[in-house]
Amino acid sequence: MDAMAGQKPIVVWALNISVVLLVLLWLFPTLGLFVSSFRTGDQITASGWWSAMFPAEQTLQIRAADPDDNRVDLGNGVFAVEGNIFGEEAFAGEISGWSTSSRRLGENAPGDTFDMGDGESFTLNADGTYVWQGNDDQISGRAQRVFIDATTPPDFTLDNYNFVLFDEDNSEGMAKAFFNTLTVVIPATIIPILIAAFAAYALAWMDFPGRALLIAAVVGLLVVPLQLALIPLLSLHNAIGIGKGYLGVWLAHTGFGLPLAIYLLRNYMVGLPRDIIENAKVDGATDFQIFTKIILPLSFPALASFAIFQFLWTWNDLLVALVFLIDASGQTTVMTKQIVELLGTRGGDWEILATSAFVSIAVPLLVFFAMQKYLVRGLLAGSVK
């Protein structure tokens, strides 16, 4: 007994450390998505999100002004193009080196004049001003490309969110998919809760033949994989004329969520004090009045717990949406499907992917933190007396 008592603190410490590690395991990716969604693609490529608050070293690839439109004749067959390599916008960083070739990055210091051969030269100063000088053939055609090694200060932008959510010309935006997802999720969360609440009350407090068999059937349905029912259920939807649409996906989510909802709510309701219900019946209350005025208010933790699970499941669902909702027109595309498409079309645009991903998890995070105090109470429903 003394040995077991001595080991208990070790077990507690191990449990606490495990919980902290799990929290960090989920926190870091979420924080990384959030920070990356406010950064540009060049910044994401140059440094990790954890260094976003510090100056970053990166190589900028910029072209000088078009020589055909901006060159100046200096006489004796010499032409020059002058200006600021960063354009009209002021550069807040610091140039540490530059080159005209990607193979020799940083070979020149700011203010140096690089001899490009045959009398052609290029000078880049620390403030970004430059002089590109040469003969008629050299200072013509395509503009000279310059590779600049620079240290840039932390910079955050809302352009990613503007492009993803509010740009009307962006056919891959998340705004329509966001509202399509809400159209799926809200009814798919409310409908099973309404049905399951009535069923759970009947299984918990009403005596009728076959009640035990129904409870056993509900428990058995908990272990049936939804993949087993996808194709038969889709065939049934097509046969009765609802096909692929919002009604079909609502009914599918309702059917797949009902067993857990009934089981969870029934276990909670059966643990409520019997005296309250019996006193209500003595006072002449009907079953419907008892259900609406006593059971539902007392069962709010269990209802909230299931609502969280159902909301998160339907919000993050891709499989059921692909089978029962998505069509070739793309008018009913949900956020999970939109992100999958972005992975194919914008696999290198990390800033767009990070912003879209964070938009997709922002609402579940808000729902979870708003109702998380009811989550544990609902999960423990019926586990103890």
Side-chain angles (χ1 to χ4, degrees):
M1 296 296 292
D2 294 339
M4 293 179 61
Q7 292 177 358
K8 185 175 180 180
I10 299 177
V11 175
V12 172
W13 274 105
L15 178 61
N16 292 338
I17 293 174
S18 300
V19 171
V20 171
L21 290 177
L22 287 175
V23 171
L24 294 178
L25 185 64
W26 286 100
L27 178 62
F28 283 148
T30 304
L31 184 60
L33 280 178
F34 177 72
V35 175
S36 298
S37 67
F38 293 98
R39 307 180 75 198
T40 64
D42 292 336
Q43 291 174 328
I44 294 175
T45 303
S47 61
W49 63 268
W50 52 87
S51 60
M53 299 302 298
F54 306 98
E57 295 182 0
Q58 56 182 312
T59 300
L60 307 175
Q61 179 180 324
I62 309 176
R63 288 190 179 274
D66 187 354
D68 295 331
D69 298 331
N70 296 277
R71 71 178 187 175
V72 177
D73 187 355
L74 302 181
N76 299 323
V78 178
F79 295 84
V81 176
E82 299 182 5
N84 193 300
I85 198 69
F86 302 108
E88 297 180 357
E89 297 183 3
F91 180 62
E94 180 181 351
I95 300 176
S96 58
W98 63 276
S99 176
T100 57
S101 173
S102 59
R103 299 180 180 179
R104 304 186 303 272
L105 297 176
E107 66 175 345
N108 304 303
D112 289 351
T113 298
F114 176 65
D115 186 0
M116 302 171 64
D118 298 328
E120 185 180 7
S121 64
F122 198 99
T123 303
L124 180 64
N125 299 313
D127 60 355
T129 57
Y130 68 91
V131 178
W132 176 26
Q133 189 170 310
N135 59 35
D136 183 32
D137 292 334
Q138 295 167 340
I139 312 299
S140 62
R142 197 172 187 182
Q144 177 61 46
R145 186 171 54 177
V146 183
F147 297 88
I148 302 174
D149 294 339
T151 301
T152 57
D155 184 25
F156 299 98
T157 178
L158 292 174
D159 292 342
N160 298 334
Y161 284 95
N162 183 59
F163 178 77
V164 168
L165 295 176
F166 306 113
D167 191 346
E168 297 180 355
D169 298 329
N170 179 22
S171 60
E172 300 171 338
M174 299 292 288
K176 185 173 182 58
F178 179 84
F179 288 107
N180 288 342
T181 305
L182 285 179
T183 305
V184 172
V185 168
I186 295 176
T189 302
I190 296 176
I191 294 174
I193 288 179
L194 291 177
I195 299 175
F198 283 101
Y201 174 75
L203 294 176
W205 293 107
M206 297 178 66
D207 293 325
F208 56 89
R211 186 179 71 166
L213 292 177
L214 286 178
I215 296 175
V218 169
V219 175
L221 288 174
L222 289 173
V223 299
V224 177
L226 67 89
Q227 293 85 353
L228 193 66
L230 290 178
I231 301 304
L233 193 56
L234 179 60
S235 300
L236 175 63
H237 285 188
N238 291 331
I240 62 179
I242 59 177
K244 285 195 172 186
Y246 288 116
L247 179 59
V249 78
W250 292 341
L251 294 178
H253 280 305
T254 298
F256 296 140
L258 271 178
L260 176 62
I262 295 174
Y263 179 76
L264 188 68
L265 295 177
R266 186 260 174 191
N267 282 353
Y268 190 91
M269 291 180 183
V270 80
L272 296 176
R274 179 179 296 271
D275 294 341
I276 299 178
I277 299 174
E278 291 179 349
N279 291 338
K281 289 182 178 180
V282 170
D283 291 339
T286 63
D287 283 321
F288 184 77
Q289 291 174 327
I290 294 173
F291 173 73
T292 56
K293 296 182 179 181
I294 298 177
I295 299 297
L296 280 184
L298 293 176
S299 302
F300 185 78
L303 294 171
S305 177
F306 173 74
I308 293 174
F309 278 111
Q310 183 72 357
F311 184 93
L312 295 180
W313 180 50
T314 53
W315 184 276
N316 296 318
D317 170 71
L318 176 61
L319 179 59
V320 175
L322 285 175
V323 174
F324 295 97
L325 182 63
I326 306 299
D327 55 23
S329 67
Q331 296 300 312
T332 55
T333 298
V334 293
M335 298 188 73
T336 50
K337 181 63 167 64
Q338 188 71 11
I339 292 177
V340 171
E341 293 179 354
L342 287 175
L343 288 173
T345 59
R346 292 184 174 272
D349 297 335
W350 296 108
E351 72 280 10
I352 302 301
L353 293 176
T355 305
S356 301
F358 189 78
V359 169
S360 71
I361 68 174
V363 174
L365 285 176
L366 291 175
V367 171
F368 176 79
F369 286 117
M371 304 181 70
Q372 53 103 10
K373 65 180 180 179
Y374 302 107
L375 180 61
V376 175
R377 292 170 59 187
L379 289 177
L380 295 178
S383 61
V384 294
K385 291 293 184 181

